[in-house]
């Protein structure tokens, strides 16, 4: 409904009222604010190509029960007009709604245009909210034709030196603004007038290059100058031209070719005219100091080959060659609208050991993904090797044997995770890889002749997709806090435009690892832009019959016999979790047909409702669980999600069909695997009991019995876990949600083998791949597949859960557990409506609970004795007394 009177008239009256009562309530205007305006979940983004982009905001209002009752969106091309409440693109009018996620619905957007927007609204009893500070989004290419051509240097796929490109141009009029739009098959760094453009690393993000390539938008107004200019581009191989040999056959990817790029620099002059400088055959190319680069192994630099000033005006490029045209690598060139990879954290080494005058060992004190930067001086021709690893051998030097096992080198010219630098001998020199990252804690530097290094000679950068942190936990148990920190370190170490399994041995987008950790990811980080991109990758990789590969993206590996439901259910589980956490149906609608094809394929090969299509409970402690049971449970989960998505999207026939299918699968599982007398599934392993409980397969009357059998199984196992990845996802939730929260906490807080805490007690700063510290395979020290514990802290102890009936934490389910052995716990989560806080402190038999619910949302607090309390927005203090 749209009210007849425009909102700005109400706002004017409200401001008059505030002025009249200013002496009495001087802070009233500051109490009501809109903030955190986002377009496509990004702050003031460039390069938006959506025709109806999503706009979101939050509300700050300290009044108890505060709720937005109406809002008005203004969008225009004049920031001052928008700030004053008028817009030439869209005025939504005042809408009676408490929504904070809407789609743009104004005049069709034009490419290359900056749009300003703001929101104002009303609260309870007609109170007016002050208009939000003006935000903006800027459209990119949209469906426009590129002016530039795809160009390369003409070399073949085995040529190792990186190609450099340059061009000079004139801008003869005063410049109003300038944008650079660049797409690359491979990786790039862009330079203008001697300066690197932007702070992103490893752009553009990895995709299925023969189907979709991303372009990146840069504001280069400050570096393009009136008069003479020079633009330079250097390309890296990335995943596009995988020269290293490994078991996943990326060297045989169907897209593989020499890197190429397409560039438009669009300059808008003060007089309104536009000029575009593009990649064309008038560019020149040459080699340079980067003699080899591989995303999987390392980077080699010979500083003697550096061409100083190659990206600046006046450089003598008479020895450079002409470029060659290349056909467009993919039909779909789309914008990279997601949080970029950056050097997020600088880490100084904790220790430096001088082994001799040519060998040094740096220890960061923690395991990370990223790169190192070395500063050194030495004679020309001195060769330094920087070997990066997670472990040390008995001789105290770096040991790569846990992470180089799948590398298949044809010679010794490209050692694993070992940068090779040749000095030019002209004073102090600095080296940092441009087109590679590694997983490591230790750096062993060996030199062909003596050099002097100290602790300041090397610094490390923790690289990852720069997703904003939104969650945190603190407790009275330091081990829990340390596990949470290690979990987040492992997660970020495996986020590079897509979630990976490990940052060293593989760097693969294993689907199972991705969905096992999705809740941990979303409780701790605002990651929707990364996951929506990864879902695009899923759709690019999906076969017409619905099948998905184990790893996404892939060059062809992973369409085997084990790429089944326990792994590739990402296509359903991730969109569903994005819906729960953000209240956004777009991930479900965009992936609906893909989910449907996937479920239909499993149905086709599983006429009896059961399937063995899967990998199973990978890397268990010792137990072996039924593959048919675990795979069939994920088949059931997919069918349930599909039926719910169909209902949300108004597809009633599909909803009914897949609801029946889910019921059929559930019955088939229980008929074959559940002993109703004993309450035991299959052979009664922890995984076989916890998965049916977590995923709601157990018939309602038998839940308590199955939960009891699970508790007994855990106690029989010495109150330690005996699960692999599927059980690790389920067991803590299955226990805490069914009356055994104390036992779940016991498992989560163990510091003896096997447990998460045993890793931390042994010095781990990330999560590991194997419970057994002495295992001889599957032994990466930076793995995320056991990462569900990070989400359980929020759910099982803090009790913060989304409500699928009012998703996006519009309504919060608060179900904390005041477990024995823990005196204090607090969880904070900055969700789509604002910060949710859940704190509790034990005082004898009394527990003091403090809860904060953000404006425009509500909560239901469920206490351990079954009492429920409905909580409006605001701060709440509750006391609960144990009967024990």
């Amino acid at each position: 409904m749209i009210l007849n009177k425009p909102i700005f008239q109400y706002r004017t009256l409200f401001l008059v009222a505030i002025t009249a009562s200013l002496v009495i309530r001087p802070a009233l205007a500051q109490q009501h604010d809109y903030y955190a305006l986002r377009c496509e979940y990004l702050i003031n983004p460039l390069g938006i190509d959506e025709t109806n982009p999503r706009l979101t905001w939050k509300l700050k209002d300290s009044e108890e029960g505060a709720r937005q009752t109406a809002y008005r969106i203004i969008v225009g091309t004049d920031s001052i007009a928008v700030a004053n409440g008028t817009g030439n693109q869209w005025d939504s009018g005042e809408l009676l709604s408490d929504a904070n996620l809407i789609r743009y619905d104004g005049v069709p957007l034009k490419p290359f245009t900056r749009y300003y927007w703001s929101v104002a609204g009303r609260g309870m009893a007609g109170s007016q909210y002050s208009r939000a500070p003006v935000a903006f989004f800027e459209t990119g290419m949209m469906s426009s034709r590129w002016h530039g051509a795809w160009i390369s240097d003409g070399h073949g796929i085995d040529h190792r030196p990186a190609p450099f490109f340059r061009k000079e141009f004139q801008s003869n009029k005063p410049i109003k603004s300038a944008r650079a739009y660049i797409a690359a098959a491979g990786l790039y760094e862009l330079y203008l007038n001697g300066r690197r453009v932007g702070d992103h690393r490893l752009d553009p993000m990895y995709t299925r290059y023969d189907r979709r390539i991303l372009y990146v938008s840069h504001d280069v107004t400050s570096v393009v100058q009136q008069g003479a200019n020079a633009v330079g581009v250097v390309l890296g191989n990335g995943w596009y031209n995988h020269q290293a040999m490994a078991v996943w056959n990326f060297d045989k990817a169907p897209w593989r070719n020499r890197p190429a790029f397409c560039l438009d620099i669009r300059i808008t002059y003060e007089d309104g005219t536009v000029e575009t400088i593009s990649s064309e055959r008038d560019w020149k190319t040459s080699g340079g100091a980067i003699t080899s680069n591989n995303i999987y192994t390392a980077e080699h630099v010979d500083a003697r080959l550096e061409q100083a000033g190659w990206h600046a005006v006046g450089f003598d490029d008479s020895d450079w060659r002409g470029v060659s045209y290349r056909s467009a690598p993919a039909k779909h060139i789309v914008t990279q609208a997601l949080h970029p990879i950056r050097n997020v954290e600088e880490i100084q080494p904790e220790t430096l050991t001088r082994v001799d005058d040519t060998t040094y060992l740096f220890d960061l004190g923690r395991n990370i993904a990223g790169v190192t930067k070395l500063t050194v001086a030495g004679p020309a021709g001195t060769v330094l090797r920087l070997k990066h690893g997670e472990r040390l051998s008995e001789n105290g030097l770096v040991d790569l044997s846990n992470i180089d096992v799948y590398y298949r080198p044809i010679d010794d010219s490209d050692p694993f995770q070992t940068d090779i630098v040749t000095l030019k001998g002209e004073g102090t020199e600095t080296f940092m890889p441009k087109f590679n990252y590694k997983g490591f804690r230790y750096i062993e530097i060996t030199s062909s002749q003596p050099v002097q290094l100290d602790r300041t000679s090397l610094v490390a950068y923790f690289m990852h997709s720069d997703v904003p942190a939104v969650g945190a936990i603190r407790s009275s148990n330091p081990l829990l806090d340390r596990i949470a920190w290690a979990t987040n370190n492992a997660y970020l170490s495996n986020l590079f435009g897509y979630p990976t399994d490990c940052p060293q041995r593989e760097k693969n987008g294993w689907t199972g690892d991705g969905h096992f950790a999705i809740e941990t990811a979303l409780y701790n980080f605002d990651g929707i832009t990364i996951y929506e991109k990864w879902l695009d990758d899923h759709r690019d990789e999906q076969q017409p019959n619905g099948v998905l590969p184990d790893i996404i993206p892939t060059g062809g590996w992973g369409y085997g016999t084990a790429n089944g439901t326990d792994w590739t259910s990402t296509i359903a589980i991730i969109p569903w979790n994005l819906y729960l956490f953000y209240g956004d149906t777009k991930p479900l609608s965009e992936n609906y047909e893909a989910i449907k094809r996937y479920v239909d394929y499993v149905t086709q090969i599983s006429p009896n409702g059961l399937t063995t299509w899967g990998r199973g409970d990978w890397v268990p402690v010792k137990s072996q669980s039924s593959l048919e049971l675990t795979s069939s449970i994920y088949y059931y989960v997919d069918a349930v999600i599909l039926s719910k998505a169909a209902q949300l999207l108004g597809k009633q026939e599909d909803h009914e069909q897949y609801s029946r299918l889910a019921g059929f699968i559930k019955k088939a599982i229980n008929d074959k695997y559940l002993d109703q007398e004993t309450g035991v599934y299959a052979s009664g392993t922890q995984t076989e009991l916890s998965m049916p409980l977590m995923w709601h397969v157990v018939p309602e009357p038998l839940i308590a019995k199955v939960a009891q059998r699970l508790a007994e199984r855990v106690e029989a196992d010495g109150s330690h876990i005996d699960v692999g990845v599927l059980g690790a996802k389920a067991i803590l939730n299955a226990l805490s949600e069914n009356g055994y929260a104390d036992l779940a906490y016991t498992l989560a807080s163990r510091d003896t083998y096997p447990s998460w805490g045993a890793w931390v007690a042994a010095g781990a700063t990330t999560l590991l791949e194997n419970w057994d510290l002495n295992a001889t395979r599957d032994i990466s020290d930076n793995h995320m597949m056991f990462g569900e514990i990070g989400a359980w802290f929020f759910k099982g102890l803090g009790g913060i859960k989304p409500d699928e009936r009012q998703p996006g934490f519009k309504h919060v389910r608060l179900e904390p557990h005041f477990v024995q052995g823990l005196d204090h716990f607090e969880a904070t989560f900055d969700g789509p409506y604002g910060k949710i806080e859940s704190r509790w402190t034990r005082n004898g038999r009394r527990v003091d609970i403090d809860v904060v619910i953000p404006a425009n949302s509500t909560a239901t607090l469920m206490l351990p004795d079954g009492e429920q309390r409905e909580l409006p927005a605001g701060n709440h203090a509750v006391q609960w007394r144990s009967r024990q």
Side-chain angles (χ1 to χ4, degrees):
M1 180 184 295
I2 299 176
L3 300 183
N4 292 326
K5 186 176 285 189
I7 193 169
F8 69 85
Q9 293 181 347
Y10 285 108
R11 185 168 181 266
T12 302
L13 293 173
F14 180 54
L15 291 172
V16 172
I18 290 175
T19 303
S21 60
L22 194 59
V23 174
I24 302 172
R25 301 183 65 189
L28 182 59
Q30 284 72 37
Q31 290 179 334
H32 300 181
D33 292 302
Y34 286 109
Y35 69 104
L37 275 64
R38 303 286 187 269
C39 175
E40 289 296 307
Y41 299 99
L42 297 168
I43 300 173
N44 298 335
L46 303 181
I48 294 299
D49 280 355
E50 289 283 342
T51 55
N52 301 98
R54 292 165 291 183
L55 305 175
T56 62
W57 60 90
K58 298 179 184 180
L59 173 64
K60 182 184 293 182
D61 186 341
S62 58
E63 294 287 336
E64 183 172 304
R67 182 172 64 88
Q68 171 189 286
T69 59
Y71 71 86
R72 179 188 178 197
I73 300 291
I74 298 292
V75 182
T77 54
D78 184 329
S79 61
I80 296 175
V82 170
N84 290 326
T86 60
N88 60 352
Q89 290 295 126
W90 185 36
D91 183 342
S92 68
E94 186 173 69
L95 302 175
L96 298 180
S97 171
D98 59 0
N100 70 341
L101 163 62
I102 58 101
R103 301 293 294 265
Y104 172 82
D105 192 26
V107 176
L109 301 175
K110 298 178 180 179
F112 314 121
T113 304
R114 176 167 291 192
Y115 294 96
Y116 299 92
W117 71 284
S118 188
V119 58
R122 288 192 292 117
M124 306 296 289
S127 61
Q128 303 294 306
Y129 292 131
S130 57
R131 182 172 300 281
V134 173
F136 71 81
F137 62 90
E138 190 172 294
T139 51
M141 300 293 294
M142 300 190 82
S143 56
S144 302
R145 178 181 63 83
W146 286 72
H147 289 257
W150 283 90
I151 60 173
S152 187
D153 68 348
H155 285 294
I157 59 175
D158 296 321
H159 189 68
R160 298 182 76 89
F164 290 69
F165 303 84
R166 73 181 309 275
K167 171 187 171 67
E168 293 192 19
F169 62 94
Q170 293 284 327
S171 294
N172 295 321
K173 295 185 288 185
I175 296 168
K176 180 181 180 182
S177 65
R179 302 288 184 267
Y181 306 98
I182 180 168
L187 303 172
Y188 78 87
E189 283 194 356
L190 172 67
Y191 297 82
L192 274 163
N193 296 322
R195 294 168 56 185
R196 183 173 173 238
V197 174
D199 62 355
H200 299 187
R201 301 298 313 277
L202 305 180
D203 268 348
M205 298 299 101
Y206 174 29
T207 57
R208 175 69 190 252
Y209 292 109
D210 54 350
R211 294 176 182 170
R212 185 169 49 93
I213 286 177
L214 305 182
Y215 78 87
V216 184
S217 304
H218 296 281
D219 183 346
V220 294
T221 307
S222 64
V223 288
V224 176
Q225 57 200 19
Q226 186 174 352
N229 292 270
V231 55
V233 173
V234 56
L235 296 180
N237 288 314
W239 293 97
Y240 183 66
N241 183 32
H242 206 284
Q243 294 176 326
M245 305 295 182
V247 299
W248 302 282
N249 299 327
F250 280 102
D251 60 299
K252 298 179 177 63
W255 60 70
R256 188 180 172 194
N257 208 334
R258 181 73 171 163
F261 76 99
C262 182
L263 170 71
D264 280 355
I265 300 176
R266 193 173 190 273
I267 304 170
T268 302
Y269 295 108
E270 293 285 358
D271 64 5
T273 59
V274 174
E275 182 180 11
T276 302
I277 309 300
S278 299
S279 50
E280 253 295 351
R281 280 185 289 193
D282 58 351
W283 284 58
K284 287 191 169 184
T285 185
S286 177
I290 303 174
T291 57
S292 178
N293 70 94
N294 195 298
I295 192 71
Y296 184 60
T297 53
E299 191 163 306
H300 305 172
V301 167
D302 188 339
R304 298 170 299 180
L305 302 178
E306 182 181 357
Q307 301 193 52
W310 68 274
H311 39 40
V313 172
F315 174 77
D316 181 5
D317 60 9
S318 57
D319 291 335
W320 287 40
R321 303 184 297 111
V323 300
S324 59
Y325 273 168
R326 274 270 298 280
S327 59
K331 291 182 179 180
H332 299 293
I333 312 298
V334 300
T335 190
Q336 180 174 295
L338 67 156
H339 290 103
I341 299 168
R342 290 190 174 99
N343 285 355
V344 177
E345 182 182 356
E346 183 177 289
I347 301 171
Q348 305 291 333
E350 280 194 356
T351 63
L352 167 61
T353 302
R354 180 182 180 276
V355 180
D356 54 42
D357 59 2
T358 62
T359 307
Y360 295 82
L361 181 74
F362 292 85
D363 179 2
L364 302 180
R366 57 184 287 200
N367 202 347
I368 66 167
V371 294
T372 52
K373 182 170 69 175
L374 176 68
T375 302
V376 63
T382 302
V383 177
L384 297 100
R385 292 173 174 253
L386 289 73
K387 182 190 293 186
H388 301 70
E390 298 181 321
R391 298 184 177 187
L392 299 179
S393 60
E394 290 183 0
N395 65 5
L397 298 178
V398 169
D399 178 8
L400 297 177
S401 63
N402 71 312
I403 54 175
D404 66 356
V405 291
Y406 296 141
Y407 184 33
R408 301 290 184 265
I410 58 175
D411 56 37
D412 61 359
S413 63
D414 189 15
F416 194 66
Q417 290 216 147
T418 303
D419 295 323
I420 301 177
V421 183
T422 304
L423 302 183
K424 61 184 174 182
E426 298 177 5
T428 300
E429 304 178 46
T430 299
F431 162 77
M432 183 179 73
K434 297 180 184 296
F435 302 123
N436 169 265
Y437 76 96
K438 308 166 188 71
F440 61 100
R441 170 177 173 171
Y442 303 100
I443 308 95
E444 174 192 322
I445 299 180
T446 57
S447 177
S448 63
Q449 52 188 310
V451 293
Q452 294 298 315
L453 300 177
D454 59 33
R455 280 182 60 191
T456 66
S457 301
L458 182 135
V459 64
Y461 292 98
F462 191 0
M463 280 172 63
H464 54 77
S465 294
D466 195 7
V467 287
V470 295
I473 68 113
R474 289 180 58 192
S475 76
S476 56
N477 184 344
L479 180 62
L480 252 60
D481 296 0
R482 193 74 175 175
I483 292 171
W485 178 73
T487 301
N488 286 346
N489 286 340
Y491 175 70
L492 293 174
S493 294
N494 285 289
L495 199 67
F496 283 79
Y498 65 106
T500 67
D501 61 329
C502 56
Q504 9 65 7
R505 190 186 68 207
E506 302 187 28
K507 298 183 172 77
N508 280 324
W510 279 95
T511 48
D513 302 50
H515 76 73
F516 303 148
I518 184 62
E519 291 176 88
T520 292
L522 299 181
Y523 273 115
N524 286 282
F525 300 98
D526 180 8
I528 186 172
T529 63
I530 307 299
Y531 287 102
E532 288 191 324
K533 178 266 179 191
W534 198 37
L535 289 167
D536 292 342
D537 298 332
H538 277 63
R539 297 195 302 278
D540 285 345
E541 295 288 7
Q542 189 174 38
Q543 295 291 324
N545 65 356
V547 172
L548 289 160
D550 277 316
I551 59 173
I552 295 175
T554 180
W557 190 93
Y559 293 102
T561 58
N563 53 315
T565 57
D566 48 5
W567 252 249
T568 48
S569 287
T570 41
I571 193 61
I573 290 173
I574 287 181
W576 180 249
N577 275 278
L578 293 178
Y579 169 71
L580 292 178
F581 275 76
Y582 289 88
D584 191 342
T585 59
K586 185 181 178 185
L588 287 171
S589 62
E590 283 191 334
N591 294 282
Y592 181 81
E593 292 302 323
I595 302 169
K596 187 174 177 180
R597 282 195 300 274
Y598 182 81
V599 171
D600 287 349
Y601 174 79
V602 185
T603 301
Q604 173 191 329
I605 64 171
S606 313
N608 66 347
L610 301 173
T611 182
T612 58
W613 190 39
R615 192 168 296 275
D617 197 26
W618 193 250
V619 195
V621 177
K622 60 180 187 295
S623 62
Q624 296 296 318
S625 298
S626 165
L627 175 62
E628 186 175 66
L629 173 61
T630 57
S631 295
S632 298
I633 287 173
Y634 274 104
Y635 175 29
Y636 168 73
V637 171
D638 296 336
V640 170
I641 290 172
L642 181 55
S643 69
K644 291 180 177 181
Q647 187 171 42
L648 285 167
L649 300 174
K651 302 175 185 293
Q652 189 58 31
E653 288 186 9
D654 280 3
H655 167 64
E656 293 172 1
Q657 174 186 343
Y658 292 105
S659 293
R660 288 193 298 271
L661 175 62
F664 175 68
I665 300 166
K666 182 175 181 177
K667 183 177 185 301
I669 293 171
N670 288 320
D671 284 351
K672 181 169 184 178
Y673 286 103
L674 173 61
D675 185 325
Q676 299 207 16
E677 290 188 10
T678 64
V680 172
Y681 278 85
S683 63
T685 68
Q686 291 183 22
T687 295
E688 290 168 337
L689 293 167
S690 61
M691 283 186 65
L693 285 166
M694 178 186 171
W695 295 112
H696 308 294
V697 173
V698 184
E700 186 74 25
L702 294 176
I703 290 175
K705 181 182 287 187
V706 175
Q708 183 181 350
R709 295 292 91 80
L710 173 60
E712 291 169 353
R713 177 70 264 166
V714 170
E715 290 166 353
D717 291 326
S719 295
H720 280 76
I721 52 173
D722 181 13
V723 295
V725 293
L726 306 184
K729 174 68 180 179
I731 191 164
L732 299 178
N733 299 297
L735 289 168
S736 62
E737 291 174 5
N738 294 287
Y740 296 92
D742 287 348
L743 185 55
Y745 173 70
T746 297
L747 296 181
S749 60
R750 285 288 193 202
D751 64 359
T752 52
Y753 169 81
S755 66
W756 294 272
W759 294 336
V760 171
T765 61
T766 49
L767 301 187
L768 276 55
E769 186 182 14
N770 203 307
W771 299 114
D772 185 356
L773 292 168
N774 298 312
T776 57
R777 60 158 292 168
D778 302 319
I779 49 175
S780 156
D781 288 343
N782 200 343
H783 238 72
M784 195 55 200
M785 65 187 190
F786 290 118
E788 167 64 15
I789 190 171
W792 181 79
F793 290 143
F794 289 86
K795 296 183 291 183
L797 297 178
I800 300 173
K801 299 178 181 180
D803 182 345
E804 75 175 72
R805 293 170 298 180
Q806 297 185 64
F809 297 90
K810 176 67 174 175
H811 183 261
V812 185
R813 294 164 50 209
L814 278 175
E815 301 172 8
H817 291 104
F818 316 127
V819 293
Q820 294 298 316
L822 193 63
D823 295 327
H824 174 77
F825 187 85
E826 58 186 79
T828 61
F829 171 66
D830 195 357
Y833 290 89
K835 186 172 288 186
I836 302 163
E837 301 180 21
S838 174
R839 296 183 177 87
W840 55 263
T841 302
R842 186 184 303 282
N843 292 291
R845 291 175 57 195
R846 191 187 78 224
V847 178
D848 297 322
I849 311 160
D850 293 293
V851 171
V852 177
I853 304 301
N856 214 22
S857 60
T858 58
T860 299
L861 174 63
M862 174 72 77
L863 295 168
D865 58 7
E867 179 187 356
Q868 290 189 27
R869 300 192 185 186
E870 301 302 321
L871 304 180
N875 299 349
H876 304 276
V878 178
Q879 288 189 349
W880 179 79
R881 185 172 295 274
S882 171
R883 295 173 183 173
Q884 298 179 349

